[in-house]
Amino acid sequence: MTDDRKTVLLTGASRGIGRACAIRFAKAGYRVGIGYTGNKEKAEETKKAVLDYIDPDDVILLQGDVSDDESAKRIMDEFLSKFSRIDCLINSAGITKDNLIAMMKPEDFDRVISVNLRGTFLMCQAAFRPMMKQRRGHVVNISSIVGLHGNAGQTNYSASKAGVIGLTMSLAKEGAGRNILYNAVAPGFVDTDMTSVLPEKTKSEINNSIPLRRPASPDEIAEAVYFLGAESNTYITGQTITVDGGMSL
């Protein structure tokens, strides 16, 4: 008997926003693919969290570097071998290598672009054919407000996240005829491992620049991702939803 429950594949799901999204979709009964690069222990923690809502047979760990085309294809193949279909793809994998441009190494620029933008492209490409055959699908790409407004010391990260927005809009036009919806979420300052390393003074200054005077939790970002990626979204495509507590006002 065919299992018609929905499926979601998430990259960068071992921590932060990706983990929160995995839990949110599991709560809704989705079968979940947890993509991660190298930290299997953290990925297992995500798996343990989603098992509060779904059975062990409804989750799979998928290790690989999304910036590598063969690895991206293998991740998708393993997911489809397990679940036979992909209803939603969440591209959350991302890295930072911050520095002012005068001191930024070209290889650090290239690596951030490779993971954040090329990785998103490769996973979208890997998902397109199965979604096309299904004649339906949802893709949500994680961008950032710095992709919309820029940020000193983050030329590589800002460029990669701006590219994700352009990629999303273009794919929305390509996928519309096949009922594949592409959207992006642009978080502001989020309380994650990535931001926890910032000095307390810097965190305080950032919080003071936010009308709500606090960072977002990963769960709050996950709610926006779920809104765009769930089956109940039948008409929103090509959009970037900013979730920043009013920071960009």
Side-chain angles (χ1 to χ4, degrees), residues 34 40 132-134:
I34 299 169
K40 187 174 183 180
M132 181 180 64
K133 289 180 179 178
Q134 295 166 184

Side-chain angles (χ1 to χ4, degrees), residues 202-217:
T202 301
K203 292 180 186 178
S204 179
E205 290 173 350
I206 294 173
N207 285 334
N208 287 335
S209 72
I210 302 170
L212 289 182
R213 294 292 189 271
R214 65 172 179 84
S217 71

